[in-house]
Amino acid sequence: MKHIRILTLLLALVLLCAYVGYIVHAIICYSVSASAFAGVSPLKFFKGAAPAMIFAFTSTSSAATIPLSKECADEMGAESDVSSFVIPLGATINMDGTAIYQCVATIFLAACCGMTLTLGQMVTIVVTATLASIGTAGTPGAGMIMLAMVLEAMNIPVDMIMLIYGIDRLFDMGRTCLNITGDISCALCVTKWESKKVAQTAK
């Protein structure tokens, strides 16, 4: 019984760690990028993206959120042609939330195995997780499948993944929400860059 309580506490902590990463990344990278490059304030950005973020959080599917993400981006000023290209592409390759999840989960499972990771191994985890996340499908639970590849690269038994399998849905909700937030931010930034390019060409 004591071991179950300890494991529950550890799972709660690793889940908290992942969500802190999601939130910090969304604020520092995505809202700041939208503000700096597209002229959309962080408050306006999150308010405008909220419908898509909520849908992604509950559905855990980047692909299913594409229409709503495009609608939110367009309402905040993104060009329809740009958002039609950027958002579906982002739903396929822009998986920052998945990369964060895989890094956190790999380090946690390594600790559960009694492994002490060096700085070089942690860098390897980050690089491997980033590359693995690019090929992750925008469907519920796909991140866990790609996590197995990261574990293999670090010589961590893949069956250790069962320790977090029960709460993967909670991880998935946050990482999907972060992923589509990045897609919307990118659509706004690309629209601004394209408008500047057109204006310079017209001179």
Side-chain angles (χ1 to χ4, degrees), residues 52 54-62 64-65 139-140 169 172-173 176:
I54 293 171
F55 185 84
F57 188 81
T58 54
S59 68
T60 66
S61 173
S62 298
T65 315
T139 54
R169 175 77 179 190
D172 203 356
M173 293 165 77
T176 305

Side-chain angles (χ1 to χ4, degrees), residues 102-120:
Q102 289 176 349
C103 289
V104 171
T106 302
I107 292 173
F108 170 71
L109 295 177
C112 290
C113 290
M115 292 178 59
T116 301
L117 298 174
T118 64
L119 180 60

Side-chain angles (χ1 to χ4, degrees), residues 24 50 69-71 75 78 92 113 142 184:
V24 170
S69 296
K70 182 183 182 304
E71 183 180 331
E75 288 180 357
T92 305
C113 290
I184 296 172

Side-chain angles (χ1 to χ4, degrees), residues 28-47:
I28 293 179
C29 291
Y30 295 148
S31 68
V32 170
S33 294
S35 178
F37 300 117
V40 179
S41 68
L43 183 61
K44 181 181 178 182
F45 173 73
F46 284 118
K47 184 177 180 180

Side-chain angles (χ1 to χ4, degrees), residues 116-128:
T116 301
L117 298 174
T118 64
L119 180 60
Q121 289 175 314
M122 290 185 182
V123 171
T124 301
I125 290 173
V126 171
V127 173
T128 307

Side-chain angles (χ1 to χ4, degrees), residues 21 55 60 94-95 109-110 114 156 187 195 197:
F55 185 84
T60 66
N94 178 39
M95 298 289 182
L109 295 177
I156 299 173
S195 64
K197 184 177 179 180

